[in-house]
Amino acid sequence: MHLEDKAEEDNQTIITEYILLGFGNLPELQILLFLVFLVIYIVTMSGNILIVALVVADQHLHTPMYFFLGNLSCLETCYTLTILPRLLASLLTGDRTISVSGCFAQFYCFGCLITTECYLLAVMSYDRYLAICKPLHYATLMNSRLCLQLATESWISEFLTCVITMWFMLQLTFCGPNEIDHFFSCSDTSMITLVSFILASINTPCPFLLTVTSYVCIIATILRIPSTTGRQKAFSTCSSHLIVVTVFYGTLMTVYLLPKTKTLKALNKVFSVFYTVLTPMLNPLIYNLRNKEVKEALRKVIS
């Protein structure tokens, strides 16, 4: 066998697992990071499960706004289960390997859930738009059938969309270095690149623009309210959601707009932690601390 043929064969050895680099370059902080992420995991899971339980159990929370909030908390619970347990295991044991099938499964769930969150946040902003800008028609427009339809479409459509991306990815043969930050495909990736670009161009800007448009209309309507008390009351009904949207999209856009340079890699990783780990924890805290109905339902449960 010629040397160049052997080199090419070695180069195209099919890999069966990846190495999650994560925070492996900070060995002295592994235990501290494990404890920090463990606390975040416990707070996130308990907070989101609590909101889901309150929305289901309390009759006063059986409204469109809290129906969508319950869906968001359910999504955040799934989101956390997709990312944090594997991160905690790698920090505790030092084993950062993940099988190809496990990596694909995590990628699929992550892609579906983050896109579903974009659509759910857009649906929630549309709900607040109807409540503030069209209050007389709100009960008629945002009925239980529409609520169920919007929530179902937010969940199902993205799971089906991600199937397309996964199908193209499964046709690829991965080889070379198997570190998750640096691997390449031995196959032609032009088609998967094109498909990913088209789907991303549809699934991210559309809900974002709908959210922005809804809040432009909401703010314009609030500013036209003559009394200060009326403006404060109207703004209080959407302030929690606005904070969640700002944190989510702010960190998400920072991650994907930062230049992919070596000097900014660590900063990119920090912002990735914000929208994948911290945002699911902040959501229930924001809604619990700023929402009277949720706090009242919580008091009932405690008492």
Side-chain angles (χ1 to χ4, degrees):
M1 181 182 290
H2 294 295
L3 289 176
E4 58 268 20
D5 294 334
K6 186 177 187 305
E8 184 178 351
E9 182 181 332
D10 291 340
N11 229 7
Q12 297 208 355
T13 302
I14 298 174
I15 59 177
T16 58
E17 63 183 19
Y18 297 127
I19 299 174
L20 299 172
L21 296 181
F23 300 97
N25 59 337
L26 302 170
E28 68 282 359
L29 297 177
Q30 297 298 291
I31 298 300
L32 177 61
L33 288 172
F34 171 78
L35 294 175
V36 169
F37 284 117
L38 179 63
V39 171
I40 292 174
Y41 178 69
I42 294 171
V43 172
T44 302
M45 293 297 293
S46 57
N48 283 292
I49 291 173
L50 177 62
I51 284 188
V52 173
L54 290 176
V55 170
V56 171
D58 197 303
Q59 293 289 332
H60 295 93
L61 300 183
H62 289 184
T63 63
M65 176 181 172
Y66 295 106
F67 171 74
F68 294 128
L69 174 58
N71 273 268
L72 181 64
S73 292
C74 183
L75 182 141
E76 301 287 23
T77 303
C78 300
Y79 198 52
T80 303
L81 286 172
T82 301
I83 297 171
L84 271 178
R86 186 66 193 82
L87 175 59
L88 290 170
S90 65
L91 288 172
L92 184 63
T93 64
D95 179 16
R96 302 195 298 276
T97 60
I98 184 171
S99 65
V100 172
S101 58
C103 184
F104 273 45
Q106 187 183 59
F107 175 83
Y108 175 75
C109 293
F110 173 80
C112 292
L113 293 171
I114 194 170
T115 312
T116 301
E117 181 161 7
C118 291
Y119 277 94
L120 269 179
L121 291 174
V123 167
M124 293 174 76
S125 65
Y126 177 67
D127 170 70
R128 292 298 84 204
Y129 160 75
L130 292 179
I132 294 174
C133 301
K134 300 182 182 294
L136 299 179
H137 304 285
Y138 176 72
T140 305
L141 294 172
M142 190 57 73
N143 53 51
S144 57
R145 181 180 177 182
L146 180 60
C147 289
L148 186 60
Q149 181 181 347
L150 290 173
T152 303
E153 289 178 356
S154 297
W155 283 91
I156 295 179
S157 62
E158 299 322 308
F159 277 84
L160 295 176
T161 300
C162 289
V163 167
I164 300 173
T165 306
M166 286 301 301
W167 187 84
F168 279 99
M169 286 185 65
L170 290 171
Q171 311 307 310
L172 302 176
T173 302
F174 294 96
C175 60
N178 64 339
E179 294 177 349
I180 203 67
D181 281 352
H182 181 69
F183 67 90
F184 61 90
S185 171
C186 304
S187 311
D188 180 14
T189 59
S190 58
M191 182 57 71
I192 182 65
T193 303
L194 177 62
V195 170
S196 300
F197 176 77
I198 293 172
L199 293 177
S201 300
I202 296 172
N203 288 328
T204 307
C206 288
F208 176 71
L209 290 175
L210 178 59
T211 302
V212 171
T213 303
S214 296
Y215 271 104
V216 168
C217 296
I218 288 170
I219 293 172
T221 301
I222 290 176
L223 292 177
R224 287 197 297 266
I225 298 175
S227 66
T228 304
T229 305
R231 288 196 296 270
Q232 290 176 346
K233 185 177 180 181
F235 185 72
S236 67
T237 64
C238 63
S239 57
S240 297
H241 180 255
L242 183 58
I243 293 172
V244 169
V245 167
T246 303
V247 172
F248 176 75
Y249 277 112
T251 54
L252 186 65
M253 286 190 293
T254 301
V255 167
Y256 290 103
L257 292 178
L258 275 178
K260 300 297 184 283
T261 61
K262 290 184 179 180
T263 54
L264 293 176
K265 184 175 287 186
L267 187 61
N268 193 296
K269 194 175 294 185
V270 170
F271 280 109
S272 296
V273 169
F274 265 94
Y275 85 87
T276 57
V277 177
L278 293 182
T279 301
M281 181 187 71
L282 292 175
N283 288 356
L285 295 177
I286 291 170
Y287 278 103
N288 281 333
L289 294 175
R290 297 180 60 85
N291 196 291
K292 293 180 180 179
E293 288 85 358
V294 173
K295 286 191 286 187
E296 184 61 32
L298 188 58
R299 285 195 199 96
K300 290 179 182 177
V301 171
I302 294 174
S303 62

